[in-house]
Amino acid sequence: MTKQAILPERGAALRELLRRQIRAVVLLIVRIAACALLLTLLKPLWGARPWLSNLLFGLGGLLCGIPLLRDVGRNWRWRIALGQAYLAAGRDEDAEVALKPLEGIQGQLFDPGGGGLQALETVRQKKKGVWEQ
């Protein structure tokens, strides 16, 4: 089996990326609802202590936000690895489609090393005929 045969088709890979992104957002909504319910149930326990209320709301925000950032980061990491694998297998068009969203602000946030953007630039140079192997 060649590398190209092991890699998923572009459409299936992009659908999987979308599914993962939707899953992360749905889980965020579930976490927010669970934290809101928990904070509502615990509110009578802290009474007139506003500092405790602020502390618990902050902890609830962390419990909701950190897993979202983790899931979104994994999704971008998978996108970058997929694009680099497509590039290594010679599937330049698929690599460009997979890596193109890295041009946005969210891609820059989750690609701090610049490996994905560098792979995208390599693909574009190949398309222009500048890249020589």
Side-chain angles (χ1 to χ4, degrees):
M1 272 184 137
T2 64
K3 279 186 180 181
Q4 196 159 354
I6 295 171
L7 292 173
E9 291 300 317
R10 177 175 51 185
L14 293 178
R15 279 191 301 276
E16 179 65 20
L17 284 168
L18 178 63
R19 188 187 67 76
R20 289 175 184 224
Q21 193 75 14
I22 290 171
R23 181 178 178 266
V25 172
V26 167
L27 286 176
L28 172 68
I29 293 169
V30 168
R31 285 186 204 105
I32 288 173
C35 281
L37 178 65
L38 183 62
L39 290 172
T40 302
L41 292 175
L42 292 177
K43 189 166 184 151
L45 297 179
W46 64 68
R49 295 182 208 87
W51 62 270
L52 186 58
S53 169
N54 292 337
L55 177 70
L56 289 176
F57 282 124
L59 287 175
L62 285 174
L63 289 174
C64 293
I66 289 175
L68 173 72
L69 291 175
R70 182 200 62 216
D71 291 344
V72 171
R74 285 180 181 168
N75 196 23
W76 280 100
R77 187 175 57 214
W78 194 73
R79 178 181 288 278
I80 292 167
L82 180 68
Q84 290 172 340
Y86 281 151
L87 182 62
R91 293 169 60 179
D92 296 339
E93 186 68 33
D94 293 341
E96 184 177 17
V97 170
L99 295 171
K100 187 160 178 65
L102 288 170
E103 293 174 329
I105 187 74
Q106 202 179 32
Q108 293 171 8
L109 177 67
F110 290 104
D111 185 23
L117 284 174
Q118 185 178 10
L120 180 60
E121 186 60 32
T122 302
V123 169
R124 291 190 173 155
Q125 287 178 357
K126 278 184 172 184
K127 277 179 79 173
K128 289 180 184 177
V130 176
W131 188 264
E132 296 177 12
Q133 292 184 354

